[in-house]
Amino acid sequence: MRAILQSETYQRTSAPLPENAADTRFYSRYYPRRMMAEVLLDSLSEATDAPTEFKDFPKGWRAMQLPDSNVDSYFLKSFGRPDREKTCECERTAEPNVTQVLHLANGDSINKKLEAKHNVIAKWLADKTTPDRIVEEAYLSALSRHPTKVEKDKILKILNDAGQKDERAALEDLCWAILSSKEFLFNH
């Protein structure tokens, strides 16, 4: 494991260089892939602090823990969870489609998590967390990185302009923008 993890090949970036921009065959860089449906749903739950509830399963049960595909979830079906009729990974689809884009843009999964009464946004508001700290926490919890100065300045301006009345809506928009970004949706 150590040899693999420390190898130059394993540590390659997904950002193409002029020399390998057209390469799609020889693994001269990492090729970004969308997260599996179950991982994506669990990541959304973790980043918003609003767990997905599955019928007939205990509260806090993760999508990755679901024993079979008989659990009805529009999100998981839309994002390519296999029906598990065969014992082959080829049954899983990773192809993007319009349904996924529409679901991320205005579907229930993200929006209900952002509107939940006891999610991360509610905690920020209850604790009177500063806008500066909110931006840091949002980026760290969703993208595992600090925001750049440009990103932070733009977001802080929007949050400060929102005022007390529209503060919750502005925070929901901030989280939605991060959670529907390519950086969040793809492994790179």
Side-chain angles (χ1 to χ4, degrees):
M1 292 268 301
R2 182 179 309 220
I4 291 171
L5 295 174
Q6 291 180 341
S7 72
E8 182 182 333
T9 304
Y10 185 83
Q11 295 177 11
R12 290 191 188 267
T13 179
S14 64
L17 301 171
E19 302 84 33
N20 67 4
D23 178 29
T24 58
R25 184 172 168 195
F26 297 110
Y27 298 98
S28 59
R29 62 185 170 90
Y30 181 80
Y31 306 116
R33 292 180 296 167
R34 197 193 71 232
M35 287 191 274
M36 293 187 316
E38 299 89 342
V39 174
L40 182 55
L41 185 57
D42 287 343
S43 297
L44 288 169
S45 297
E46 189 69 29
T48 58
D49 199 16
T52 303
E53 293 186 27
F54 299 101
K55 185 179 178 198
D56 300 328
F57 287 93
K59 189 173 180 164
W61 198 266
R62 295 177 154 297
M64 287 297 293
Q65 293 175 297
L66 295 173
D68 59 26
S69 62
N70 291 331
V71 176
D72 187 34
S73 171
Y74 182 74
F75 183 92
L76 294 175
K77 186 165 184 64
S78 297
F79 282 84
R81 178 186 62 180
D83 292 328
R84 296 183 183 168
E85 294 171 355
K86 304 175 202 167
T87 57
C88 174
E89 185 63 23
C90 61
E91 192 178 12
R92 181 179 295 278
T93 176
E95 293 298 315
N97 60 52
V98 175
T99 305
Q100 295 168 358
V101 174
L102 292 173
H103 191 71
L104 287 173
N106 55 14
D108 286 345
S109 297
I110 293 179
N111 290 329
K112 283 189 178 179
K113 289 181 180 307
L114 295 176
E115 294 167 355
K117 293 202 186 291
H118 302 291
N119 66 5
V120 69
I121 296 170
K123 291 176 184 165
W124 289 334
L125 294 172
D127 295 344
K128 296 187 185 331
T129 308
T130 64
D132 190 60
R133 185 70 191 142
I134 288 172
V135 175
E136 288 284 331
E137 286 182 17
Y139 270 77
L140 286 170
S141 67
L143 304 177
S144 299
R145 69 171 178 85
H146 293 281
T148 64
K149 179 164 178 28
V150 172
E151 290 169 333
K152 194 170 191 175
D153 291 344
K154 283 182 182 179
I155 294 169
L156 286 174
K157 181 181 180 335
I158 293 168
L159 292 178
N160 291 329
D161 290 348
Q164 195 84 12
K165 180 181 170 198
D166 296 325
E167 187 176 22
R168 171 109 190 172
L171 292 175
E172 287 177 9
D173 289 346
L174 162 66
C175 291
W176 180 87
I178 293 171
L179 297 175
S180 62
S181 70
K182 283 184 182 179
E183 188 174 355
F184 180 78
L185 300 171
F186 285 79
N187 287 329
H188 16 163

